[in-house]
Amino acid sequence: MYEQTETTHHGPAKGLMRWILTTNHKDIGTLYLVFSLIMFFIGGTMAFVIRAELFQPGLQLIRPEFFNQMTTMHGLIMVFGAVMPAFVGLANWQVPLMIGAPDMALPRLNNWSFWILPFAFLMLISTLFMDGGAPDFGWTFYAPLSTTYAPPSVTFFIFAIHMMGISSIMGAINIIVTIFNMRTPGMRLMLMPLFVWTWLITAFLLIAVMPVLAAVVTMMLMDIHFGTSFFNAAGGGDPVLFQHVFWFFAHPEVYIMVLPAFGVVSQIIPTFARKPLFGYHSMVYATSAIAILSFVVWAHHMFAVGLPLGGELFFMYSTMLIAVPTGVKVFNWISTMFKGSMTFETPMLFAIAFIVLFTIGGLSGLMLAIAPADFQYQDTYFVVAHFHYVLVPGSVFGIIAAVYFWLPKWCGRMYNEAMGQLHFWLSIIGVNLTFFPMHFVGLAGMPRRIPDYALQFADFNMVTSIGAFLFGTTQLLFVYNVIKTIRSGKTAPQKPWDGAEGLEWTVPSPAPYHTFTSPPAFTGKE
Amino acid sequence: MKQSTPTYYVPPQSHWPIIGAVGLFFTLGGGGLTLHSLQQGQVSLFSQIILFSGVLILAGMMFGWFATVIAETRKGLYSPKLDISFRFGMSWFIFSEVMFFFAFFGTLFYVRFFAVPWLGGEGDKGIAHMLWPDFTAVWPLLNAPNTDQFPPIKQIIDPWHVPLINTILLVSSSLTLTLAHKALKLGNRSMIKLWLGITLMLGLSFLVLQVTEYFEAYRHFDLTLQSGIYGATFFLLTGFHGAHVTIGSIILFVLLIRVFKGHFTKEKHFAFEAGSWYWHFVDIVWVLLFTLVYLL
Amino acid sequence: MRHFLRLFLIPLILFPSCIYAAWDLNMPIGVTDTSQEVYGLHMTIFYICVVIAVIVFGVMFWSIFHHRKSKGAQAAQFHNNVVVEIIWTIIPFIILIAMAIPATKTLIDMYDPTESDIDIQITGYQWKWRYKYIGEDIDFFSVLATPAEEIENKTPKNPNYLREVDNVVVVPINKKIRFLFTSNDVIHSWWVPDLAIKKDAIPGFINESWTRINKPGIYRGQCAELCGLHHAFMPIVVKAVTEPEYQTWLQQQKQVKVAEAASAQKEWSLDELVTVGAMVYQKNCAACHQADGQGLPPVFPPLNGSAVVQGDIAEHIKVVVEGRKGTTMPAWDKQLSAIDIAAVITYERNSWDNHTGDKVTPADIQAAIDNQ
Ligand code: HEA
Ligand code: HEA
Ligand code: CUA
Ligand SMILES: [Cu+2]
């Protein structure tokens, strides 16, 4: 068995080939995170274009057709290119470290999952340069706007989605298998760190719904190129069928984007409160309940399409129910903080902001769930406000908090705390300035996905745009801080946070290229 | 730490994944370009070359990747734990396929019980009939609401002929595959070859019959992809199933070759099991299809 | 209901004006019983959410303040309590039930379009609305009236910028009006906040909704579902009037029809056709083919210098009258009168760099329509 000793103890290869051919979970994690960061900035730039056009009423900078492309691509890139890969990157780095595994269960597959992504986005972004422009039918691509009335580039959009789907499914299989099979002896499921738990459930959701997305784009492809009539009443199909299948995917998808952030917060809060997580078991059950419920609420995005009354009521009730397990999680986090001994380093600040601002987004979600009131909210900026609250100070803050929290372990250096705090405060101001006024314009009647609007919405749109520029530019500070840390930060100790617990803190900082080649001892307490 | 179990094999760098990524990109990119040019009414050789080379690269990647894995197994690098990883991996992959078909069956369900009746004036949203006064909702739907755009179907496939034979073929192929597996566990190599060979033959006959059925549907029944939602769902479900039978047959073929080469032992034959799980899955989908698409 | 509303007005008066509708910060209360119920529901849920948020964040900030290390707080080690877990599962559940009851009532009420006095079929087109009063022989299109100069920032914007149309929908107050929504192309959504109606218009299917307006007035809204290029530019204006005024309006509409029929007989000069055609073009064609006739290739072909426009007249008429299958070019005979089509074709053939000098008459168009 000489290969084993040879392969498991070698360090990283040199040069570019290290990244292209790697099978190492840490390398692949880094690749995912860097890719996601680039996508965040591409998606963010598109948001800038949107906000610049909406700065004032009237058409100033771009034409409506380009505006629609920007909205669509912004949504798609943020969802599929930025948030999802960022969490997969975190899982790659952290899951093996947290469960004491030598690597992911299927390392070569892991590499494939990653390297499909850059090609998928190459294809998606190249549509911007095609005749007729990029997809312009919204990230929800409702038929028939996305079939009969779509620009020719839609074919490439469909295939790009197929590639992202393959990548996500393979990635999720890898994570789920790693968690089930690679835990160090003694780590029973109910002793796993919560980040691992939330990722286990997320991976399950991914495997369950990404194929449905693949199915729905396949049906679109057939309607466009092979003359079928799935989404065309003239042939006996139904445009609303598209929405049912799409949202069957896309509602679980929104929890895919937030559950890992729940996990991150559940690691960070106990660390800085120096107190064990309150209600570990109920946290696990609540997360599972959210995941299960997420399969039966999809039509709350379709209250205005004219569902039969019974359907409308069913989906209203089931959607409202999700508030219960989510509430349990919020209450548990707060009870963890209660009577702790708290300090407020940057990760903790972002985690606290997550709890507050995510809850605000969740509460507006609850308002949206009230079907008769949703007739007034649906497709307005109130919805845009809702989902940016759960996605930006929700998922994105979760990602940022995780990076600050684990960066010392990854690169063996400490980030600059003062700069981190500054980044936090500017982000908090920026994010609220951007997204809070959207509630007002939405309620006052401004629809989403419009390049130009009536005069009564002008003031708040200007505030929003200013906030967006502030928030976006602030993120450069974060990137600067991270790069500076990697280059020249102070050396970090093995366990930089005194309240931290878990296997990842038992390896040196930076974590060696190969960790836990033999399973570590685990003495978890119940 | 003293180790009591063999270490988990972490492979060294590998070039197969990146080849796979490029292959996928070429396949789908070439496919996109091809469809795109067809839409414009041209035939583009360039796009077809890209598509074709993509498929070749992917096939080469599969071949090379699996060859590496096989070589590693045969060298004994894989611990029992890694075997479990493969098993879990394959099961979850099949689960994802289940969800893929679930979406298509869901479509069929929606169309039959909601969309078509509504268009025909029944149910909660039956007022839609105002727009299609000449339309009657029946299933199988021979005449779509707009028959100019979606020409009518003359006749549908009789479930008690070819589809029934196909059902018998596939169900018995599942049985023969189980027999082959039994033989493998007993170490009876000639019986493995026999049963596996029969399974493959049954699978291939299924495909041949399916192709003749399609031919008949297009040639004589006017049952096509373009003939409204009945044709669309029919070909969607049976077509994707057929594609899976094709993949399954290729897997069986590879397994057969490996048996001839003397691979697999009584205890360790994960590839064989994975292949048979896949085959059984395809078989179950067919049984559902036969009931829901042809019979009901 | 009234009582209910008063209950909400009290906090509104006490609160700083920042939650009050006058600032255009909040949902309009609207002018129908339904819209008022919806508004009440919205405010109830909103206040419940505020209370929840205040309690939750209150506890959190209290502990952030008191249980910080810098104040010497020692961490307790408790981490489990089944009783509180059960309590905070059950209390939210009860709150949700309390929310669901009024919501269900309102919804059931909104879903009953029976016994209507007037039925209006509303069809979405890219990018305009068509209103057909069932049983009244009234059928017209309603298109954005804001001039392009205002959108392009060349002239100052009027107060109803983007919320004005050429033909408003006129309806009587205190009558139950049933709307039937459908679409000719993609999905649109008909939304007037003051009526609390938002319903998707879906091609091939019909959605229903109803309203009974309490107060005369002009109520503005716009298309709410992304429907392509000019989704932002398909407003809705509803004018609610008293019953006698409504009857007068009906009469006027019928007279307009008669006048139109008469003008079809008249002999049109080239200049007259071009003038009318320019207006028709602005309203119906410019969205895709652009005011300068350059189009947005490849989806929307240019008309300036186009082979069809400069070529055979019959072919040109055919494309306009019958549309182009498989593209977004619709069959205009379903949307425009023969005069309008004649005018717009004449305009296209004599504008920009197209100098054919051809004149197309309404009779030519009528012939083409009949021969289809
Ligand atoms: C991370 C992503 C994320 C998350 C977590 C959520 C969470 C929720 N969302 Fe959201 N949603 C989106 C992303 C997300 N959403 C997106 C992207 C869209 C728009 C898609 C598009 O059209 O483009 C959308 C749209 C959307 C709609 C459709 C609106 C419309 O188009 O008309 C609805 C309607 O019901 C809804 C509801 C909810 C609800 C009830 C929750 C719940 O899970 C929230 C639960 C949380 C809380 C309630 C707060 C904490 C709880 C307590 C403190 C307990 C006590 C509370 C009570 C008893 C009330 N969402
Ligand atoms: C997670 C998803 C996400 C994120 C982060 C954002 C971020 C932002 N979004 Fe939005 N947005 C969507 C998802 C998201 N968005 C979706 C789904 C839609 C709907 C599209 C549709 O209608 O079809 C939408 C639509 C949308 C609209 C409506 C457009 C319309 O209806 O026409 C607007 C308008 O202002 C907007 C603005 C913004 C702004 C100013 C930001 C700013 O926050 C941008 C600034 C952010 C950054 C520059 C990135 C910062 C992140 C980091 C630095 C993390 C670092 C990470 C690692 C280290 C790995 N977005
Ligand atoms: Cu019509 Cu948007
Ligand atoms: Cu949802």
Side-chain angles (χ1 to χ4, degrees):
Chain A
M1 295 216 169
Y2 60 95
E3 278 100 336
Q4 263 185 44
T5 37
E6 191 182 271
T7 55
T8 48
H9 293 300
H10 68 75
K14 296 273 174 305
L16 187 63
M17 280 304 161
R18 161 178 179 186
W19 302 105
I20 293 180
L21 305 181
T22 183
T23 50
N24 180 285
H25 73 103
K26 301 187 183 76
D27 283 354
I28 295 175
T30 308
L31 283 171
Y32 267 113
L33 288 170
V34 171
F35 176 77
S36 143
L37 187 66
I38 295 169
M39 286 297 149
F40 264 121
F41 280 96
I42 297 179
T45 310
M46 292 173 173
F48 272 33
V49 175
I50 295 172
R51 284 319 323 171
E53 177 55 51
L54 292 177
F55 189 71
Q56 280 183 341
L59 293 178
Q60 285 89 17
L61 304 167
I62 55 175
R63 309 298 311 164
E65 62 273 15
F66 190 65
F67 183 91
N68 289 349
Q69 296 171 25
M70 282 293 110
T71 298
T72 307
M73 294 294 261
H74 163 72
L76 288 170
I77 288 180
M78 284 300 195
V79 168
F80 293 104
V83 172
M84 288 170 69
F87 281 127
V88 181
L90 291 174
N92 259 293
W93 257 102
Q94 288 309 125
V95 168
L97 281 179
M98 293 170 99
I99 63 174
D103 205 302
M104 296 293 278
L106 307 160
R108 275 185 291 241
L109 191 67
N110 202 13
N111 175 309
W112 198 36
S113 309
F114 172 75
W115 277 106
I116 291 173
L117 273 187
F119 291 103
F121 281 88
L122 184 68
M123 194 183 285
L124 184 66
I125 292 174
S126 71
T127 58
L128 276 168
F129 307 100
M130 289 179 189
D131 259 4
D136 54 4
F137 30 63
W139 88 282
T140 52
F141 50 102
Y142 282 4
L145 188 62
S146 64
T147 54
T148 322
Y149 296 84
S153 61
V154 63
T155 310
F156 296 98
F157 156 81
I158 290 173
F159 284 136
I161 295 280
H162 273 133
M163 292 175 77
M164 293 168 207
I166 294 172
S167 157
S168 290
I169 292 171
M170 297 301 155
I173 290 178
N174 217 331
I175 291 169
I176 214 166
V177 174
T178 307
I179 296 174
F180 275 135
N181 193 32
M182 308 280 287
R183 278 165 290 130
T184 192
M187 185 182 281
R188 286 185 289 110
L189 282 178
M190 272 306 188
L191 294 174
M192 291 192 313
L194 257 175
F195 179 72
V196 181
W197 252 116
T198 51
W199 242 114
L200 176 67
I201 291 165
T202 305
F204 168 75
L205 286 178
L206 275 168
I207 302 175
V209 300
M210 288 311 283
V212 177
L213 174 67
V216 77
V217 293
T218 304
M219 288 192 272
M220 273 172 65
L221 186 78
M222 296 182 69
D223 269 12
I224 295 169
H225 291 290
F226 304 119
T228 55
S229 57
F230 294 110
F231 309 131
N232 185 347
D238 185 350
V240 174
L241 168 63
F242 171 89
Q243 299 182 23
H244 281 291
V245 188
F246 175 79
W247 287 114
F248 185 86
F249 147 76
H251 184 80
E253 166 71 18
V254 308
Y255 292 103
I256 288 168
M257 289 190 283
V258 88
L259 292 185
F262 287 172
V264 168
V265 170
S266 307
Q267 299 298 133
I268 291 176
I269 298 281
T271 302
F272 294 94
R274 294 168 180 74
K275 183 164 161 277
L277 183 71
F278 188 85
Y280 174 90
H281 284 82
S282 71
M283 284 299 226
V284 172
Y285 301 141
T287 315
S288 318
I290 293 173
I292 292 164
L293 280 174
S294 76
F295 286 105
V296 292
V297 300
W298 75 86
H300 64 219
H301 297 272
M302 304 163 55
F303 283 142
V305 299
L307 301 173
L309 180 62
E312 203 98 346
L313 287 173
F314 171 80
F315 286 106
M316 173 166 92
Y317 300 148
S318 60
T319 305
M320 291 170 77
L321 263 185
I322 292 201
V324 175
T326 317
V328 168
K329 302 199 68 116
V330 173
F331 301 141
N332 278 327
W333 287 323
I334 290 176
S335 308
T336 308
M337 291 161 71
F338 187 76
K339 283 200 185 293
S341 167
M342 278 183 272
T343 50
F344 303 94
E345 288 86 346
T346 316
M348 181 65 163
L349 289 176
F350 274 102
I352 292 172
F354 172 96
I355 298 179
V356 176
L357 299 179
F358 172 82
T359 301
I360 293 178
L363 292 173
S364 64
L366 192 79
M367 295 174 73
L368 293 170
I370 309 293
D374 183 65
F375 294 145
Q376 294 282 50
Y377 308 135
Q378 134 77 201
D379 267 323
T380 66
Y381 264 80
F382 191 76
V383 177
V384 179
H386 156 66
F387 70 72
H388 281 96
Y389 261 87
V390 283
L391 282 168
V392 180
S395 315
V396 174
F397 275 22
I399 295 165
I400 294 176
V403 171
Y404 279 119
F405 186 55
W406 282 311
L407 192 62
K409 180 57 57 193
W410 299 341
C411 69
R413 292 172 192 277
M414 221 39 205
Y415 63 87
N416 180 325
E417 183 65 41
M419 214 193 295
Q421 304 256 343
L422 179 67
H423 171 221
F424 171 77
W425 288 110
L426 287 176
S427 293
I428 277 289
I429 296 168
V431 94
N432 286 298
L433 210 55
T434 313
F435 299 115
F436 209 78
M438 286 186 181
H439 290 112
F440 302 139
V441 285
L443 289 175
M446 176 165 164
R448 55 195 283 209
R449 296 164 168 173
I450 54 173
D452 192 5
Y453 47 83
L455 298 179
Q456 67 264 39
F457 311 127
D459 297 347
F460 285 120
N461 268 294
M462 198 176 276
V463 176
T464 291
S465 291
I466 292 170
F469 299 140
L470 173 65
F471 180 70
T473 7
T474 302
Q475 304 315 315
L476 295 175
L477 191 65
F478 170 67
V479 178
Y480 175 73
N481 198 353
V482 170
I483 293 176
K484 199 154 173 283
T485 310
I486 297 172
R487 289 254 175 97
S488 59
K490 282 198 310 260
T491 318
Q494 173 171 331
K495 196 173 120 186
W497 318 115
D498 51 354
E501 277 185 41
L503 291 174
E504 76 261 45
W505 308 111
T506 64
V507 299
S509 295
Y513 197 57
H514 290 286
T515 36
F516 301 128
T517 35
S518 50
F522 178 74
T523 48
K525 41 188 185 295
E526 191 83 29
Chain B
M1 271 251 344
K2 268 260 143 58
Q3 56 184 83
S4 47
T5 44
T7 43
Y8 194 89
Y9 176 69
V10 178
Q13 293 201 323
S14 165
H15 48 267
W16 296 120
I18 187 73
I19 294 178
V22 173
L24 193 63
F25 182 60
F26 274 45
T27 309
L28 293 180
L33 287 169
T34 309
L35 287 173
H36 192 263
S37 57
L38 286 176
Q39 199 176 24
Q40 248 87 64
Q42 306 146 359
V43 179
S44 148
L45 188 63
F46 168 73
S47 355
Q48 283 164 0
I49 291 174
I50 300 212
L51 170 61
F52 195 66
S53 52
V55 174
L56 278 186
I57 298 174
L58 267 188
M61 176 278 278
M62 292 276 188
F63 187 82
W65 190 325
F66 286 120
T68 315
V69 173
I70 293 165
E72 285 167 356
T73 331
R74 294 177 65 76
K75 261 193 227 159
L77 292 177
Y78 289 178
S79 58
K81 197 163 176 150
L82 207 134
D83 204 50
I84 297 177
S85 288
F86 283 155
R87 275 159 208 279
F88 278 147
M90 188 65 193
S91 324
W92 285 105
F93 173 69
I94 291 180
F95 174 64
S96 79
E97 293 267 31
V98 170
M99 292 307 293
F100 187 65
F101 277 98
F102 172 79
F104 292 154
F105 279 112
T107 297
L108 179 66
F109 174 83
Y110 181 89
V111 164
R112 281 198 59 178
F113 295 106
F114 297 109
V116 170
W118 287 346
L119 289 168
E122 298 153 34
D124 285 310
K125 316 222 42 110
I127 190 173
H129 197 241
M130 255 175 78
L131 300 170
W132 313 100
D134 306 327
F135 176 67
T136 24
V138 286
W139 195 269
L141 185 71
L142 301 182
N143 296 296
N146 180 344
T147 40
D148 295 336
Q149 205 181 342
F150 299 99
I153 301 167
K154 282 204 205 109
Q155 198 187 331
I156 59 158
I157 307 276
D158 177 3
W160 301 114
H161 286 97
V162 176
L164 179 66
I165 300 173
N166 265 345
T167 312
I168 296 170
L169 288 179
L170 269 197
V171 172
S172 40
S173 78
S174 253
L175 280 175
T176 54
L177 188 59
T178 313
L179 290 175
H181 192 191
K182 284 255 164 62
L184 178 52
K185 280 191 190 146
L186 294 174
N188 187 343
R189 298 204 73 91
S190 57
M191 288 311 264
I192 313 176
K193 288 175 200 163
L194 177 68
W195 288 122
L196 195 55
I198 293 179
T199 312
L200 181 59
M201 289 323 294
L202 289 169
L204 292 178
S205 337
F206 171 92
L207 283 175
V208 171
L209 283 181
Q210 191 76 353
V211 170
T212 45
E213 182 185 292
Y214 278 11
F215 188 74
E216 171 129 324
Y218 261 79
R219 244 344 235 293
H220 303 297
F221 297 171
D222 286 353
L223 170 58
T224 69
L225 278 168
Q226 291 86 3
S227 52
I229 197 67
Y230 183 82
T233 49
F234 174 82
F235 285 106
L236 178 77
L237 279 153
T238 55
F240 271 100
H241 176 264
H244 280 74
V245 177
T246 314
I247 297 170
S249 304
I250 296 172
I251 296 177
L252 291 181
F253 181 65
V254 173
L255 291 177
L256 191 61
I257 292 178
R258 290 188 62 193
V259 173
F260 273 98
K261 281 190 157 178
H263 290 189
F264 306 129
T265 63
K266 277 193 228 173
E267 299 79 24
K268 278 192 79 173
H269 47 258
F270 168 70
F272 189 95
E273 284 175 281
S276 67
W277 292 346
Y278 193 81
W279 193 257
H280 291 313
F281 153 71
V282 171
D283 190 24
I284 291 169
V285 172
W286 175 261
V287 174
L288 278 174
L289 251 165
F290 180 64
T291 344
L292 298 175
V293 176
Y294 290 96
L295 282 185
L296 296 176
Chain C
M1 190 60 226
R2 284 276 118 73
H3 180 72
F4 196 57
L5 265 182
R6 207 164 302 138
L7 224 112
F8 286 109
L9 284 176
I10 298 166
L12 279 181
I13 294 160
L14 297 179
F15 263 66
S17 64
C18 69
I19 324 178
Y20 196 52
W23 258 35
D24 258 342
L25 285 170
N26 201 352
M27 188 189 283
I29 300 175
V31 290
T32 67
D33 291 349
T34 313
S35 76
Q36 279 158 17
E37 264 174 64
V38 167
Y39 176 79
L41 199 57
H42 158 70
M43 290 313 284
T44 322
I45 312 278
F46 171 68
Y47 282 120
I48 295 177
C49 288
V50 170
V51 171
I52 294 174
V54 167
I55 296 173
V56 171
F57 301 154
V59 175
M60 193 183 89
F61 283 112
W62 188 84
S63 24
I64 286 180
F65 190 75
H66 290 280
H67 304 146
R68 50 167 86 215
K69 199 171 173 216
S70 54
K71 287 186 81 182
Q74 292 291 310
Q77 287 304 314
F78 66 83
H79 57 87
N80 204 356
N81 187 331
V82 180
V83 179
V84 299
E85 298 280 357
I86 290 174
I87 292 176
W88 65 43
T89 310
I90 289 178
I91 291 182
F93 191 70
I94 294 172
I95 298 177
L96 292 176
I97 293 176
M99 292 176 172
I101 292 168
T104 308
K105 278 223 291 271
T106 310
L107 191 68
I108 290 176
D109 193 32
M110 290 169 111
Y111 257 73
D112 175 24
T114 51
E115 292 169 30
S116 59
D117 304 309
I118 298 175
D119 292 356
I120 303 179
Q121 182 177 339
I122 302 179
T123 311
Y125 285 73
Q126 277 179 330
W127 292 275
K128 54 188 167 260
W129 294 100
R130 177 188 201 161
Y131 299 93
K132 197 154 134 191
Y133 288 59
I134 294 175
E136 288 286 358
D137 190 31
I138 291 182
D139 183 354
F140 59 86
F141 282 89
S142 172
V143 185
L144 177 73
T146 304
E149 292 74 39
E150 288 188 21
I151 298 175
E152 304 291 343
N153 309 306
K154 290 184 191 129
T155 51
K157 300 179 180 9
N158 79 78
N160 290 326
Y161 179 68
L162 296 189
R163 294 243 161 155
E164 46 193 341
V165 295
D166 56 352
N167 300 316
V168 302
V169 203
V170 178
V171 292
I173 54 169
N174 299 328
K175 283 271 160 71
K176 184 160 183 176
I177 304 158
R178 182 168 76 131
F179 298 115
L180 303 176
F181 300 103
T182 185
S183 165
N184 182 54
D185 34 54
V186 300
I187 300 178
H188 303 265
S189 193
W190 197 84
W191 180 32
V192 178
D194 280 311
L195 311 186
I197 295 183
K198 183 186 287 132
K199 259 283 148 66
D200 287 0
I202 296 166
F205 287 85
I206 291 181
N207 272 327
E208 289 173 279
S209 194
W210 65 273
T211 190
R212 179 181 273 124
I213 301 175
N214 297 334
K215 219 174 88 188
I218 294 181
Y219 307 114
R220 296 171 198 273
Q222 68 188 93
C223 176
E225 180 68 61
L226 179 60
C227 51
L229 195 54
H230 286 251
H231 159 59
F233 307 105
M234 56 186 288
I236 297 154
V237 180
V238 176
K239 185 172 172 195
V241 296
T242 57
E243 178 66 26
E245 286 175 284
Y246 175 65
Q247 291 304 335
T248 333
W249 179 78
L250 282 183
Q251 290 315 316
Q252 277 171 2
Q253 288 299 305
K254 285 175 188 159
Q255 279 156 18
V256 170
K257 277 239 144 133
V258 176
E260 239 170 44
S263 71
Q265 312 304 333
K266 124 177 198 210
E267 190 59 43
W268 290 77
S269 77
L270 181 69
D271 282 349
E272 280 172 327
L273 283 171
V274 169
T275 320
V276 175
M279 273 156 56
V280 178
Y281 185 86
Q282 270 315 317
K283 259 167 61 177
N284 297 285
C285 318
C288 299
H289 297 293
Q290 305 298 302
D292 57 3
Q294 295 301 342
L296 293 169
V299 182
F300 305 121
L303 301 182
N304 190 11
S306 138
V308 174
V309 177
Q310 298 187 340
D312 181 26
I313 298 186
E315 178 59 24
H316 190 178
I317 294 179
K318 190 172 148 75
V319 171
V320 179
V321 168
E322 298 177 19
R324 271 232 173 109
K325 270 254 156 58
T327 71
T328 38
M329 179 74 181
W332 289 97
D333 63 337
K334 312 249 169 11
Q335 303 187 28
L336 297 176
S337 68
I339 305 172
D340 286 351
I341 298 181
V344 81
I345 292 180
T346 311
Y347 169 75
E348 284 167 4
R349 296 183 81 83
N350 295 290
S351 301
W352 317 300
D353 304 333
N354 305 336
H355 307 289
T356 59
D358 297 334
K359 182 173 115 182
V360 179
T361 64
D364 299 339
I365 304 297
Q366 202 52 52
I369 293 173
D370 297 340
N371 283 340
Q372 246 185 73

